[in-house]
Amino acid sequence: MARVVTLLGGESTGKTSLAHALCERLNDQGVTACVVPEHLRLWCETRGRAPRADEQAELAQAQARLIDEAATRQDVQVVLADTTPLVIAAYSELYFDDMGLLPTARDWQRRVDLTLLMGLDLPWVSDGFFRESEAIRDATDAVLRRELQLAGIAFQTIYGR
């Protein structure tokens, strides 16, 4: 079973860039790694819209399933997850005032080997489509920190590029 490293944070915090940079560095050093992309982002790009409240649970489950499947691959030593169900649960709270996904997301997050939380030091950059605002990024960070602390999950905050 591969070690699972998760990258958490709101929009425009550098999760994707860091996941790919870590993957490249690990592979260069002979540690077989893979990146599990952000399912929510791919879902939104495919459909051209943000999800509704009733679609959030399936998106969180799908993200967990993709990470879990990658972790069972025999050819992978480290899985770098570019987000987790906890981020989707945080969005569900922020956008739909629904905290129902948080308990399951916290339970899933407890199982990972390393949780990295992206700092808020990088400038917020619009993608012209899905990224809403720096305020949403900051609010997402607050929810993630609260939930990690509530669950007793150790995490390391990552700053810079």
Side-chain angles (χ1 to χ4, degrees):
M1 185 88 149
R3 296 212 177 259
V4 176
V5 177
T6 61
L7 289 80
L8 305 181
E11 57 191 41
S12 195
T13 55
K15 293 184 306 292
T16 302
S17 296
L18 181 58
H20 288 283
L22 287 172
C23 185
E24 183 177 335
R25 176 63 79 87
L26 288 167
N27 284 317
D28 286 349
Q29 294 181 356
V31 177
T32 308
C34 72
V35 174
V36 175
E38 182 180 8
H39 179 68
L40 173 62
R41 176 85 179 171
L42 299 173
W43 188 96
C44 291
E45 288 173 352
T46 300
R47 287 163 181 77
R49 66 175 176 85
R52 299 182 311 261
D54 64 308
E55 296 168 318
Q56 293 287 98
E58 172 53 35
L59 289 167
Q61 291 166 4
Q63 184 70 48
R65 188 171 46 253
L66 290 168
I67 297 166
D68 291 342
E69 287 171 0
T72 62
R73 288 177 41 190
Q74 297 299 314
D75 62 330
V76 174
Q77 294 171 287
V78 177
V79 172
L80 299 154
D82 178 6
T83 207
T84 73
L86 192 57
V87 174
I88 297 168
Y91 288 151
S92 195
E93 176 182 339
L94 293 170
Y95 284 101
F96 305 113
D97 198 29
D98 178 5
M99 297 177 73
L101 299 180
L102 290 168
T104 302
R106 282 191 307 260
D107 288 345
W108 186 91
Q109 191 69 40
R110 281 185 186 102
R111 298 181 2 220
V112 305
D113 297 294
L114 178 62
T115 297
L116 302 177
L117 178 65
M118 307 306 290
L120 298 176
D121 58 321
L122 298 179
W124 183 83
V125 178
S126 173
D127 66 357
F129 194 48
F130 292 110
R131 292 181 180 162
E132 187 170 325
S133 69
E134 191 170 355
I136 291 296
R137 176 180 77 168
D138 295 354
T140 303
D141 181 78
V143 171
L144 293 170
R145 287 177 186 276
R146 181 196 73 211
E147 292 301 310
L148 290 169
Q149 291 168 357
L150 178 68
I153 298 170
F155 64 93
Q156 177 66 49
T157 304
I158 304 296
Y159 295 100
R161 297 192 181 275

